[in-house]
Amino acid sequence: MRVWMALACVGLLAACANDTGIDNTPAEVAAAAYVAPGPRSITLMTMINNRTGSGGHTALVVNGSQQVIFDPAGSFRDPRVIERGDVLYGMTPKWIQGYKSSHARSTYHVVSQEIQVTDAQAEQILQLVMSNGTVAGAFCANVTSGILSQVQGFESISKTFYPAKLSEQFASLPGVTTTKYYENDEGDVIDAVQASLLAQ
């Protein structure tokens, strides 16, 4: 049973690995849309090495007309998750928690930096991530910083290849709320199963 569950949901942190996912169809993307309650916001998620403090991966939660995770060059996989062009659709709070759980372990923790945005900002960022396409390995922070720098209010963000550097820039924005998520397990599969269970 444990092996079956492990195979059913594979969420791995491979430090901006090359994408190996298969794009879902536009119809599947449309059907998966999830609209989150509350004010519009974006959340920068950075996977930080617990030993060195360096960043291993960058992702961006966009809560606009629908809520998605932009997972550039990411490797979070589950057959129930709809993905197209490195954007994960249908991202309910349970899926977002599952995403964090799949990345946090004894060697990494997840820093989440949330900031409220206007409807126009949220929609612009949503359209930018949806139209960006698949990101090459090691370009997660570079592409994310480039997208943010195009949006009014985020012009101070400079392009960078380093997730931790992007996180530092994001922290300087007014109104950012920061949380950190830790887990103590040793392996990817345990985290993947945890993500699967959380999303039930």
Side-chain angles (χ1 to χ4, degrees), residues 65-81:
S65 56
Q66 61 175 305
Q67 185 159 269
V68 304
I69 296 178
F70 179 49
D71 190 29
S75 49
F76 182 78
R77 297 287 176 271
D78 185 288
R80 294 165 295 177
V81 171

Side-chain angles (χ1 to χ4, degrees), residues 170-181:
F170 204 84
S172 68
L173 297 171
V176 172
T177 301
T178 301
T179 58
K180 298 180 180 181
Y181 181 75

Side-chain angles (χ1 to χ4, degrees), residues 5-7 18-19 23 25-26 31 33 53 70 72 75 82 88-89 96 106 126 143-144 158-159 181 184 188 190 200:
M5 290 180 66
L7 292 174
N18 286 317
D19 184 272
D23 277 350
T25 67
F70 179 49
S75 49
I82 300 301
L88 310 178
Y89 293 87
I96 291 173
S106 61
L126 181 62
V143 172
T144 303
S158 300
K159 291 189 75 172
Y181 181 75
N184 293 320
D188 299 329
I190 295 173
Q200 293 289 339

Side-chain angles (χ1 to χ4, degrees), residues 43-44 100 109-114 177-182:
T43 303
L44 182 71
K100 291 181 185 179
H109 69 278
V110 181
V111 176
S112 298
Q113 297 166 287
E114 181 178 5
T177 301
T178 301
T179 58
K180 298 180 180 181
Y181 181 75
Y182 292 85

Side-chain angles (χ1 to χ4, degrees), residues 90-200:
M91 290 295 103
T92 65
K94 285 186 177 181
W95 273 119
I96 291 173
Q97 179 57 38
Y99 183 91
K100 291 181 185 179
S101 183
S102 74
H103 289 81
R105 59 197 59 139
S106 61
T107 50
Y108 281 89
H109 69 278
V110 181
V111 176
S112 298
Q113 297 166 287
E114 181 178 5
I115 186 170
Q116 291 188 15
V117 295
T118 66
D119 288 357
Q121 287 172 315
E123 204 57 31
Q124 183 181 1
I125 298 169
L126 181 62
Q127 293 304 316
L128 286 169
V129 300
M130 289 171 62
S131 63
N132 186 79
T134 302
V135 176
F139 277 79
C140 59
N142 182 265
V143 172
T144 303
S145 58
I147 286 173
L148 290 173
S149 67
Q150 299 177 52
V151 179
Q152 185 176 5
F154 295 88
E155 300 96 336
S156 64
I157 299 292
S158 300
K159 291 189 75 172
T160 178
F161 278 94
Y162 300 100
K165 294 294 185 183
L166 177 55
S167 179
E168 290 172 7
Q169 291 188 66
F170 204 84
S172 68
L173 297 171
V176 172
T177 301
T178 301
T179 58
K180 298 180 180 181
Y181 181 75
Y182 292 85
E183 286 187 9
N184 293 320
D185 59 66
E186 298 292 337
D188 299 329
V189 173
I190 295 173
D191 282 334
V193 172
Q194 176 79 0
S196 181
L197 291 173
L198 284 167
Q200 293 289 339

Side-chain angles (χ1 to χ4, degrees), residues 10 16 45 104 140 152:
V10 180
C16 296
M45 289 196 289
C140 59
Q152 185 176 5

